[in-house]
Amino acid sequence: MNSPTFPQFTTTTLGGGVHINGLAKILGIYDAKVKLKSINDHTISFYIYTDTKPHICPRCNLSTSKVHDYRMQKIKDISFHNKSCILFLNNRRYHCSGCGKHFYESYDFIAKYPHRTNRLTKFIAGSFFDTLNIKQVSIRANVSSHTVYKVLSTLNNSSSGIGEAISIDEFKGNVGI
């Protein structure tokens, strides 16, 4: 039996010589290359690659391009055509020649520690505008309730001060006087 063939996505050049392919544009990832990994009944997954570029050491602020090692990081994204969407990022760890520190490359589309895209975090936070409870949001976003709680704990829900008001607790008009 023949394996299914998938459409090839073309690469276009944006201003300044920046290349972007169609999959990256669909996923909203503009600083990486995206390749389709697999599709099945429940999940669609992609490989994400970036080019090596100089990074600033967080300890001593020296610029370095020396790569120490790589690891494949699994990142959850919002559902794609009613399928779970998983991104496999070829995450790069740099070595600083100045102080010897090893540190991971930073990306615009994921936060530093969570294994989810910023887009998924915004989707979860925005789901509460539809007056959904935590369980409903977790089902809609295809994440655990614990993940929804973690997103809620990071939201800033401060409001401006409440102005002066007069409040009447009880009122009875037939007191008999």
Side-chain angles (χ1 to χ4, degrees):
M1 181 172 208
N2 293 338
S3 62
T5 59
F6 300 107
Q8 296 298 315
F9 290 89
T10 59
T11 301
T12 56
T13 303
L14 300 176
V18 177
H19 295 281
I20 184 168
N21 66 27
L23 283 175
K25 197 183 296 186
I26 290 169
L27 294 172
I29 300 171
Y30 300 106
D31 56 350
K33 297 172 189 145
V34 178
K35 290 183 181 176
L36 182 65
K37 179 181 182 247
S38 66
I39 299 176
N40 63 34
D41 292 340
H42 306 289
T43 306
I44 184 167
S45 56
F46 301 95
Y47 283 123
I48 310 289
Y49 300 95
T50 59
D51 293 327
T52 304
K53 59 184 176 186
H55 273 68
I56 303 297
C57 175
R59 183 185 292 162
C60 68
N61 293 325
L62 288 178
S63 179
T64 185
S65 294
K66 186 175 181 183
V67 176
H68 178 68
D69 62 6
Y70 292 88
R71 79 174 173 102
M72 197 58 73
Q73 182 179 359
K74 186 177 173 182
I75 302 165
K76 191 158 185 72
D77 196 9
I78 60 174
S79 296
F80 192 77
H81 291 287
N82 294 325
K83 297 176 188 258
S84 294
C85 184
I86 306 294
L87 309 177
F88 289 92
L89 174 66
N90 196 21
N91 203 346
R92 187 177 293 115
R93 193 162 60 146
Y94 287 92
H95 172 76
C96 178
S97 302
C99 66
K101 180 168 178 63
H102 297 142
F103 59 95
Y104 283 103
E105 185 171 9
S106 59
Y107 302 96
D108 292 337
F109 59 94
I110 58 172
K112 187 171 182 176
Y113 297 110
H115 294 281
R116 65 182 175 273
T117 61
N118 293 333
R119 198 164 69 149
L120 178 58
T121 301
K122 288 176 185 174
F123 179 80
I124 292 169
S127 293
F128 287 102
F129 287 111
D130 296 335
T131 319
L132 300 174
N133 64 32
I134 293 196
K135 184 67 176 173
Q136 291 168 326
V137 171
S138 71
I139 291 168
R140 178 189 261 187
N142 196 19
V143 296
S144 67
S145 297
H146 181 71
T147 300
V148 176
Y149 279 114
K150 286 195 296 188
V151 169
L152 276 176
S153 69
T154 63
L155 298 178
N156 181 5
N157 60 357
S158 64
S159 60
S160 59
I162 298 174
E164 290 185 25
I166 296 176
S167 178
I168 300 173
D169 188 19
E170 294 178 21
F171 179 77
K172 186 170 183 179
N174 56 356
V175 182
I177 300 176

